[in-house]
Amino acid sequence: MKKCLECGTEIKGRADKKFCSDYCRNAYNNNINKDSKNLVRNINNRLRKNYRILDSFELKDGKTRTTKTRLMDKGFDFEYITNQYTTKKGSTYFFVYDLGYLPLDNDYYMVVKRE
């Protein structure tokens, strides 16, 4: 007799069945993956928050200006980006998916959307 890998009850049905129910299958896989997934989940949550903050700015012609203080007041974390782009002139844009920012003088930032 085969037993459920999660709760240990007897399994009836197909010969290759490992769990007695969808609940047990989900619980088993969640327990296996919770440690490795926690770091990824936290990083994705911070990226998602940064994206929402950049998306909250009204862009005119695909860009707008704001201050570092305003970004930080909204909870923006400058440590979390998905990529960066350096222009031929040497300016470095920092992106969170398709939205990004360019540091300017005097703690100003230009928020841009990549087309």
Side-chain angles (χ1 to χ4, degrees), residues 78-94:
F78 291 92
E79 301 269 327
Y80 291 89
I81 61 169
T82 55
N83 61 328
Q84 52 187 338
Y85 172 74
T86 304
T87 64
K88 291 179 183 177
K89 293 180 179 179
S91 301
T92 302
Y93 288 82
F94 300 91

Side-chain angles (χ1 to χ4, degrees), residues 43 47 50-51 54 76-86 91-103 112-115:
I43 291 171
L47 287 171
N50 277 355
Y51 187 85
L54 291 175
F76 193 83
D77 190 340
F78 291 92
E79 301 269 327
Y80 291 89
I81 61 169
T82 55
N83 61 328
Q84 52 187 338
Y85 172 74
T86 304
S91 301
T92 302
Y93 288 82
F94 300 91
F95 281 92
V96 180
Y97 305 113
D98 65 332
L99 294 173
Y101 60 90
L102 172 67
V112 299
K113 181 172 180 103
R114 188 181 314 183
E115 296 299 323

Side-chain angles (χ1 to χ4, degrees), residues 27-76:
Y28 179 84
N29 287 316
N30 286 341
N31 284 333
I32 287 176
N33 295 324
K34 72 180 174 187
D35 293 333
S36 64
K37 301 287 184 183
N38 197 29
L39 175 66
V40 173
R41 183 175 37 253
N42 289 337
I43 291 171
N44 284 336
N45 286 338
R46 290 185 186 199
L47 287 171
R48 193 176 306 116
K49 183 176 181 179
N50 277 355
Y51 187 85
R52 275 192 236 118
I53 291 167
L54 291 175
D55 196 36
S56 71
F57 291 99
E58 186 177 329
L59 304 180
K60 294 178 184 168
D61 298 325
K63 61 186 176 181
T64 191
R65 277 180 39 145
T66 189
T67 62
K68 182 176 186 175
T69 305
R70 192 164 170 208
L71 285 168
M72 291 177 71
D73 286 348
K74 290 185 174 209
F76 193 83

Side-chain angles (χ1 to χ4, degrees), residues 1-33:
M1 286 291 169
K2 291 190 85 174
K3 295 194 182 246
C4 175
L5 294 177
E6 176 65 16
C7 68
T9 60
E10 185 179 319
I11 297 176
K12 296 179 182 174
R14 293 187 350 224
D16 63 343
K17 198 170 178 184
K18 296 179 182 179
F19 304 99
C20 63
S21 66
D22 285 338
Y23 175 81
C24 280
R25 179 179 49 82
N26 286 329
Y28 179 84
N29 287 316
N30 286 341
N31 284 333
I32 287 176
N33 295 324

